[in-house]
Amino acid sequence: MKTTSLALLLPLSSLAVPVPGGHDLSASCILAVPNGEVVTSSHLSSLSDCKAASSLRKEQIYAQDVHLENPDLWQNFTASWTVPPLPSNHAGQVDYHWSGFKSGEPEMGYPVLQPVLQYGQTGRAKWQVQSWYVWGDGGKAVTGPAVAAEEGDAVDTYMTLSDDGVWTVYARNGRTGEESVLTIERDALGCDCDFEWAMLVHETIMDAKGYCDEYPAGSSGIEYTNVYLDGATVAWEERVQKTDCEQAVNVDGEKVAFTWKN
């Protein structure tokens, strides 16, 4: 008997799409905007009925991260890193590396602003750089353009809040000069939230076991440099939630390294 994929029966807008920072979302609940366009509350009116989509995806977890709370709220964050090699095994996994501001808790599902290096986001074995606002529990996301990236490319990022309450999430591929810029008014976030948590995260969507060759190849991991919060280095809190591949975190001033072994 011939079977038909459920994906072929569903409209594209209803398909579940992985997002960094928590939960799959329906494609119709992800708003993409071009560089230079300021996202206002009116942009998000179409997302008012959105909620997190159900999914049969693999384990999604912050495998390695550092985080720090500032009760007075963060306003500026810079970080740079180099694109690592592609994984040796492409098994449908999604691999995210990002710096971010989180509201509420440094956990999945809470609102987050984040420039992201992503692998497998489109189902393909390639790297991209993209700026995101994600509210997983609220079922909505806004993105800047996705920019192609390759092993060895330098990625420079920053996030900043202007005096008039507009957030800018910026990422640039140093080799190509292409940028992904998300500019969003605070009032458009939809959560009436500020950002007291800063994070650097290696987030994965993959099998819970036997996944080491789904990480970027080689044991050098990924190193963030030029890491400054409101213009200063900080004493990060370290967290490792997956250890099968000898995952580790190392903090050294303005550098933060996530390492593993394949």
Side-chain angles (χ1 to χ4, degrees):
M1 179 179 177
K2 185 178 180 180
T3 60
T4 302
S5 169
L6 177 62
L8 298 179
L9 298 175
L10 295 172
L12 290 177
S13 61
S14 67
L15 295 180
V17 177
V19 297
H23 310 313
D24 288 355
L25 299 180
S26 296
S28 60
C29 293
I30 302 174
L31 176 66
V33 296
N35 290 342
E37 184 168 338
V38 179
V39 179
T40 66
S41 298
S42 61
H43 285 81
L44 299 186
S45 59
S46 62
L47 309 183
S48 59
D49 295 328
C50 286
K51 59 183 179 180
S54 59
S55 172
L56 297 177
R57 291 188 183 278
K58 303 174 182 182
E59 178 186 59
Q60 184 167 2
I61 191 171
Y62 294 167
Q64 301 159 274
D65 77 78
V66 295
H67 52 270
L68 187 66
E69 183 180 20
N70 176 9
D72 294 326
L73 309 177
W74 299 111
Q75 295 192 18
N76 295 279
F77 194 170
T78 64
S80 301
W81 59 92
T82 300
V83 178
L86 294 169
S88 62
N89 179 23
H90 179 64
Q93 76 272 30
V94 183
D95 195 56
Y96 296 122
H97 305 267
W98 50 268
S99 55
F101 282 147
K102 273 267 189 182
S103 179
E105 295 290 344
E107 306 293 347
M108 206 81 69
Y110 288 87
V112 59
L113 295 167
Q114 52 191 159
V116 181
L117 173 66
Q118 56 200 29
Y119 169 89
Q121 177 64 26
T122 61
R124 298 178 182 177
K126 63 179 183 180
W127 290 111
Q128 296 176 312
V129 177
Q130 191 165 25
S131 293
W132 290 78
Y133 165 63
V134 175
W135 183 15
D137 289 347
K140 62 190 68 177
V142 187
T143 75
V147 171
E150 299 177 358
E151 177 184 349
D153 287 352
V155 178
D156 296 313
T157 73
Y158 69 80
M159 292 178 290
T160 188
L161 178 64
S162 69
D163 291 339
D164 57 351
V166 177
W167 281 102
T168 298
V169 184
Y170 176 92
R172 180 180 185 272
N173 183 327
R175 176 180 61 86
T176 65
E178 290 187 281
E179 299 171 329
S180 179
V181 186
L182 175 61
T183 310
I184 184 169
E185 293 182 351
R186 181 194 177 280
D187 291 343
L189 298 173
C191 56
D192 190 27
C193 55
D194 293 299
F195 297 93
E196 65 269 46
W197 290 95
M199 303 186 73
L200 293 166
V201 180
H202 178 202
E203 178 182 353
T204 59
I205 305 174
M206 57 185 62
D207 290 334
K209 296 289 183 181
Y211 56 84
C212 293
D213 62 356
E214 297 179 30
Y215 274 26
S219 58
S220 58
I222 190 166
E223 183 180 63
Y224 297 87
T225 61
N226 191 37
V227 177
Y228 291 97
L229 282 165
D230 291 347
T233 59
V234 298
W236 292 101
E237 297 178 37
E238 303 173 16
R239 178 170 58 178
V240 178
Q241 299 194 90
K242 300 293 288 187
T243 58
D244 308 83
C245 314
E246 300 183 38
Q247 290 95 328
V249 174
N250 181 63
V251 178
D252 182 12
E254 51 87 28
K255 298 179 181 180
V256 176
F258 298 150
T259 58
W260 54 80
K261 294 185 177 180
N262 300 108

